[in-house]
Amino acid sequence: MAVGCLTNPLLWIRLAALVSSCVAFSMAVHGGKLFHGTGDWCIFCWSFSFTGTLLILLVEVFGLQPRVPVSWRNFPITFACYAFLLCLSAAIIFPLYFIKGTVGYGTTYNSRIVSMVFSCLVTVTYMIEVSMSKARPGELAGYMATAPGLLKVFETFLACVIFVFISDPPVYESNEALKYCLSVYCICFIMSAVIILLCVGECTGCLPFPFTRFLSVYAVLAMVMYLSATIIWPIFNFDPWNGGQKNRPDRCGSALGLCTWDKRMAVAVLTTVNFILYLADLIYSARVVFVSTHSENPFG
């Protein structure tokens, strides 16, 4: 056992995340009486975080990092960032569907309250882990520990949320412009996911061209593509002259969950947010590429 890792504060943060996620999904499964697909989603978020954190703890406690076929400078922080986003979504969704409007007593209600509290706690622990693990100015670290690497995690996660909103029912089939926006979401998601996999799998050196050059070119193209989608999506969804609907329909007020108009608006907001992330990614990537010219391999 690598006893020295016991003095690492990250170990205790991960232990707190492990316990919190375990309590959250255990109470939800055994006493929460969850229903609807949102309950399954929350349980998935907590169980995924618990399983991944447990594996990371076992690897680090027993000093198995050299035997793991991934970059240990990139994998833990990548997982922590995704776990933070998943648990954050569960912490927001769970009380809206299973606490709001319920009677404030009984075993079921108490179990749901405990799950909600520990869901918030595990979200905070992952946020602390990401903050502690990210690269500091002048520090030589893996790409996923830098601002562009973390931004790509957020970009892919938001893209997945966009896919959920536009797929049920499909809200992009009315004209070719919206299908173009869908292609932007898909292309940028795939490329960002490929970059994450290359970094985590230590395959950046296998490319036939410099990885830093690839990052800079992709950052420019992704920013331009998302800028176009940020403009096109609202025009063809909310402008009456282009077949859109400006005002929210009255039926949306009585509909369960989000109506189609609400989903279109959510996609417009998320597209704008992702455009801002890609713009920040471009700015940070330019700085990383500049720094990389003064070091041999900054993304190992």
Side-chain angles (χ1 to χ4, degrees):
M1 177 183 291
V3 181
C5 74
L6 297 177
T7 60
N8 187 350
L10 279 176
L11 172 68
W12 303 105
I13 295 295
R14 287 168 181 155
L15 280 174
L18 188 74
V19 173
S20 299
S21 57
C22 180
V23 174
F25 76 74
S26 296
M27 295 300 295
V29 169
H30 295 293
K33 296 182 180 180
L34 304 188
F35 55 89
H36 201 269
T38 53
D40 297 332
W41 169 254
C42 293
I43 292 175
F44 164 76
C45 293
W46 298 325
S47 57
F48 171 83
S49 303
F50 171 83
T51 304
T53 302
L54 178 61
L55 291 175
I56 291 174
L57 281 172
L58 291 176
V59 169
E60 295 209 336
V61 168
F62 291 100
L64 301 177
Q65 295 92 327
R67 300 186 179 182
V68 178
V70 295
S71 170
W72 208 249
R73 291 201 294 176
N74 289 303
F75 176 74
I77 189 171
T78 304
F79 171 82
C81 197
Y82 274 117
F84 162 71
L85 293 171
L86 289 171
C87 292
L88 177 62
S89 68
I92 295 173
I93 292 173
F94 188 81
L96 291 178
Y97 280 86
F98 302 105
I99 302 295
K100 182 181 178 181
T102 58
V103 180
Y105 59 87
T107 303
T108 300
Y109 181 81
N110 293 335
S111 297
R112 292 178 178 180
I113 288 293
V114 173
S115 292
M116 181 189 69
V117 171
F118 278 90
S119 179
C120 295
L121 289 176
V122 71
T123 302
V124 173
T125 57
Y126 282 119
M127 181 177 64
I128 295 174
E129 180 180 349
V130 172
S131 177
M132 294 176 62
S133 302
K134 67 179 182 179
R136 301 297 187 269
E139 180 183 356
L140 187 63
Y143 176 75
M144 296 307 300
T146 64
L150 294 176
L151 283 172
K152 284 179 175 59
V153 173
F154 282 84
E155 292 159 4
T156 54
F157 184 82
L158 284 182
C160 290
V161 178
I162 290 175
F163 293 147
V164 172
F165 282 133
I166 66 177
S167 62
D168 186 26
V171 297
Y172 56 86
E173 296 180 336
S174 57
N175 56 59
E176 297 300 321
L178 299 182
K179 293 180 180 179
Y180 164 78
C181 293
L182 175 65
S183 67
V184 170
Y185 305 143
C186 293
I187 292 172
C188 292
F189 169 78
I190 292 172
M191 294 304 299
S192 294
V194 167
I195 291 173
I196 293 173
L197 292 175
L198 287 174
C199 293
V200 173
E202 291 190 312
C203 300
T204 57
C206 300
L207 297 176
F209 39 78
F211 183 58
T212 53
R213 183 179 302 173
F214 169 66
L215 290 175
S216 59
V217 172
Y218 168 67
V220 173
L221 293 177
M223 188 274 294
V224 172
M225 293 174 67
Y226 252 92
L227 175 60
S228 64
T230 303
I231 298 172
I232 293 174
W233 183 268
I235 290 177
F236 287 90
N237 278 290
F238 307 115
D239 184 6
W241 291 98
N242 291 281
Q245 187 172 2
K246 181 178 180 180
N247 299 318
R248 187 171 186 258
D250 294 335
R251 64 179 181 275
C252 290
S254 58
L256 180 63
L258 297 177
C259 65
T260 302
W261 193 92
D262 291 336
K263 292 180 179 181
R264 294 176 187 269
M265 179 59 69
V267 172
V269 173
L270 292 173
T271 301
T272 303
V273 173
N274 234 5
F275 163 69
I276 296 173
L277 293 179
Y278 275 103
L279 179 60
D281 192 350
L282 173 61
I283 296 172
Y284 278 110
S285 295
R287 294 177 57 186
V288 170
V289 170
F290 174 78
V291 172
S292 68
T293 60
H294 297 84
S295 58
E296 294 182 359
N297 184 17
F299 304 138

